[in-house]
Each structure stands twice: as structure tokens, then as C-alpha cells.
Amino acid sequence: MSEHNDPNLPVAAAEPIRDPGLPAHVPRPTDIDPKAERRAERQVAGFFLASMLMAVLFCVAYFTLDLGKLEDDGTRKATDTFIGLGASNVALGVTLGLALMFIGIGVIHWARKLMSDVEMSELRHPAASSEEDREETLAALQAGLEESGIARRPLVRNTLLGALGFVGLPLIVGLRDLGPLPGKTLEKTVWKEGTRIVRDVIGTPIRPSDLEVGDLVNAQPEGLVPLHHEEDHREGVEYLEGAELQVAKSKASVILLRMEPKDLKHGKGRENWAVEGIVAYSKICTHVGCPIALNERQTHHLLCPCHQSTFDLADSGRVVFGPAARALPQLPMKVVDGYLVAQSDFTEPVGPSYWERDSK
Ligand code: FES
């Protein structure tokens, strides 16, 4: 019996796997045909130019297409839509996506058609790199740089640099959406004399008798709670929508708390700001602006969940604990036609303290 047919020998010893080696190198058309090479170069440049065009179209779409408004039934006008979505969003997403995609396709095409196409093999060796290996790596990187032809192909190099530069344009243009600096925006809200105080979300006006001692209610000025049926709108009240509504609401939100009138300490000049033991304060914490709503019923203290600033609603919103530097702004109230209304806007800015404001 020959060694080859011995059934007691392990298979590997009987039939060793031979190293198949590398397949024969087949040059690409671009390796042997200068015309094909130039054509591939122009194709790569074409992708980078297409990327630049998409970046420019992004900017055009940003400035020319209307965001479109949602109708009451949740749909948009036909002119504001594109396959049922906001035309502006679709155009911005598509153009930016294509700008990035064309750069990617261009780079892949460059690597497949024009960069060096030499097969290499290397035996495995221990992971730790020797000094010699590091030098070899650096040399290989240098060779790769030369083989990429970036120095020899100014058309590809320049269009790639152009595409990378242009694709930054949408990011710069998008900075415009950061909005204006706050300026004095927190110094005024939509509250004014006679504005009805209504419950948040449902928008119903509030009578003093609706609240029992200890009740805490989130409230808004009338006109900031969008009513879905126009017939529910009250004459003479301006109902805001969209971004205007969100901005106004974020500044004007208040909380009402009813306590025993004997527990209230009226601050100087605030003797008539409460109604039958009901007080109204801004809902925005004066530390860094979290919405406040945790009430300690026994003490009339209101706690901010973010950093535990605590305000005494029985004593002009005074800070009794925590990092807030100012009392909560109080909204002066009165009763008209049986309902709670504001006497005026807040008498001080709402929201977090900022550097140009005195802390009081
Ligand atoms: S935001 Fe209220 S304590 Fe910091």
C-alpha cells in the first residue's frame, strides 16, 4: 500500500493543500489604453463637478423654496408638496445626499480605474511592528500617494478639492437657521391687560372658583392654545400659529396655585396681584430655563427638577434653595366677567438670568 492510500494517515498529510498563488495579472483597459485612461479621468472629474452642482442647488433650494404650511387637516397645499412631503425638506435632503454621494462615487471610480493595480501578497508575521516595518509602512504610504497620481492628475485633484470645499456650503448656509441672537426677546411676552388666562392644552378660561386650595394648574394666555375649530375662536383674540406660536408660548407659560389667602405674603407693590389666594408665576426657571412644576403642597414651594432650585410661591416667588439667582417673575391678575385675566405683562424679564441683566 502506498503512503498516499494509507487510511490511517491524517487527511492533511495524505492531501496537503497547495498554495494556489495569485491569478495572472490582467491589466485594465485604463492601464494599456491612454484614451480609456483619459475617459476615466474625465468621468471622475464629472462626478466631482456633479457634487459641486448639487451643493449649489442645495443653497438655491434653501433660499427659494417655501417651507409650506400645514393645513388644519394635517395636509399641505399641493404647491408645497413633493411626493406628499414638504418640498423644501425633500429638495434639501436630496441635493445634500447627492452631493456627498457623487464625491463617494468619484473616489471609488478613481481607485478602481486609475490608481495602481498591482496585486501584492505578504506572509503573516507577529503583530508587533519593528522599526524596519514602520519605515516600510511610511514608504508604502508615500508610494500609495504617488501611485494615486494626485500630483500627476491636476484635473482630478482640483475637482476633488473643489467638491470637498463646495460640500461645506450647505453646512455654512444651515447656520442661518440658528436664528437671531436673543437680544431683549425675554423682556416682553404676549401677556397684556385683559388677556384671559386659560388652561394649557384644552384652552378653557378659568374662574377663581374652579380651583381648590392646593390646586396647581399649567396655563397660557388665550390665543396661544390652538383651537381646532374656528367657530370656537373668541372675537377680538389673536390666535397665533406655527413658529410664532411656539416662541410666544415658550415665554408666556405660567402656573397658577391656589392657597389660603392668609398664607400669602404680598410683596411691596403686589398687594392686588393675587385673586382669592390664587397666584400666577412664570413657569420658566430663572436658573437656566427648565419648566417648573413640582409643588410641595404644605409649604407652597415649587421645585425645579433640573438643579433643585426652590421658589416660595407664597412669598413673591423668592428663591429658598438652589442655584437660581432671581425670584420667579409673578404675573399680576384680576377678574373680568368672572374669569381670571392678566393686569399687564410681567414686570420683569422671564427666563434664565443672563450677563447683562441685574440679578434681583
Ligand atoms: S434650571 Fe431650574 S434649577 Fe437649574
Side-chain angles (χ1 to χ4, degrees):
M1 181 183 284
S2 74
E3 185 183 278
H4 185 75
N5 294 326
D6 184 351
N8 298 322
L9 282 175
V11 174
E15 284 289 339
I17 298 170
R18 282 180 305 161
D19 179 359
L22 289 172
H25 177 70
V26 180
R28 302 164 302 184
T30 47
D31 292 334
I32 50 178
D33 179 358
K35 272 194 194 155
E37 186 188 4
R38 276 199 298 280
R39 191 166 53 242
E41 193 171 345
R42 283 196 299 273
Q43 285 166 350
V44 172
F47 284 121
F48 294 153
L49 288 170
S51 171
M52 289 186 227
L53 178 66
M54 288 300 130
V56 170
L57 286 180
F58 175 98
C59 300
V60 172
Y62 183 90
F63 286 108
T64 56
L65 289 182
D66 197 353
L67 286 178
K69 288 200 177 93
L70 277 180
E71 303 289 312
D72 286 345
D73 61 0
T75 61
R76 291 176 197 274
K77 279 192 224 142
T79 50
D80 292 337
T81 68
F82 182 76
I83 55 171
L85 301 165
S88 173
N89 285 346
V90 172
L92 297 181
V94 167
T95 51
L96 184 56
L98 287 177
L100 294 169
M101 190 181 80
F102 282 135
I103 290 180
I105 294 175
V107 169
I108 291 170
H109 202 55
W110 180 9
R112 288 176 60 88
K113 300 279 181 180
L114 296 171
M115 288 189 189
S116 174
D117 184 33
V118 181
E119 289 92 357
M120 297 174 72
S121 65
E122 187 182 10
L123 292 177
R124 292 195 178 181
H125 51 76
S129 306
S130 65
E131 192 59 36
E132 192 182 24
D133 286 346
R134 277 186 234 145
E135 277 168 19
E136 264 177 31
T137 306
L138 282 178
L141 286 175
Q142 190 59 38
L145 206 59
E146 276 160 23
E147 283 167 6
S148 72
I150 199 154
R152 282 184 291 117
R153 300 186 192 281
L155 179 61
V156 170
R157 183 193 57 219
N158 294 342
T159 49
L160 172 62
L161 291 177
L164 290 175
F166 271 63
V167 87
L169 277 183
L171 303 179
I172 295 169
V173 167
L175 290 176
R176 191 167 166 269
D177 280 345
L178 290 177
L181 290 171
K184 296 189 178 300
T185 186
L186 293 174
E187 296 189 1
K188 290 242 174 303
T189 74
V190 295
W191 289 109
K192 57 182 192 282
E193 189 189 353
T195 305
R196 269 192 186 173
I197 300 169
V198 300
R199 288 179 192 267
D200 195 12
V201 182
I202 53 176
T204 49
I206 304 168
R207 290 190 186 85
S209 57
D210 293 338
L211 302 184
E212 294 183 1
V213 170
D215 280 354
L216 184 83
V217 170
N218 288 305
Q220 298 285 341
E222 187 176 27
L224 293 197
V225 181
L227 298 177
H228 296 296
H229 303 291
E230 261 187 37
E231 58 270 23
D232 293 337
H233 288 192
R234 213 158 61 86
E235 211 175 307
V237 177
E238 191 192 355
Y239 289 85
L240 301 180
E241 298 183 296
E244 214 183 346
L245 167 70
Q246 297 306 329
V247 171
K249 198 169 176 177
S250 66
K251 294 193 292 179
S253 296
V254 291
I255 37 165
L256 302 184
L257 177 69
R258 181 160 198 171
M259 60 189 84
E260 293 290 357
K262 65 177 173 46
D263 293 341
L264 265 174
K265 288 185 207 153
H266 299 287
K268 190 156 172 269
R270 301 185 177 198
E271 295 78 6
N272 66 345
W273 285 18
V275 174
E276 299 174 29
I278 302 170
V279 283
Y281 287 91
S282 168
K283 190 177 164 63
I284 312 168
C285 181
T286 56
H287 179 218
V288 288
C290 285
I292 315 178
L294 301 173
N295 178 33
E296 284 176 6
R297 195 176 169 128
Q298 301 300 321
T299 58
H300 316 307
H301 287 174
L302 196 68
L303 178 79
C304 176
C306 290
H307 315 101
Q308 283 70 53
S309 285
T310 307
F311 304 88
D312 186 353
L313 301 196
D315 188 7
S316 305
R318 182 174 60 87
V319 181
V320 292
F321 179 77
R326 299 166 49 242
L328 270 186
Q330 185 175 359
L331 185 73
M333 286 189 301
K334 61 183 179 180
V335 174
V336 172
D337 296 335
Y339 293 105
L340 292 172
V341 303
Q343 288 187 35
S344 68
D345 195 358
F346 292 100
T347 56
E348 58 183 315
V350 296
S353 304
Y354 47 95
W355 64 272
E356 72 269 35
R357 185 201 288 180
D358 294 337
S359 292
K360 340 185 213 182

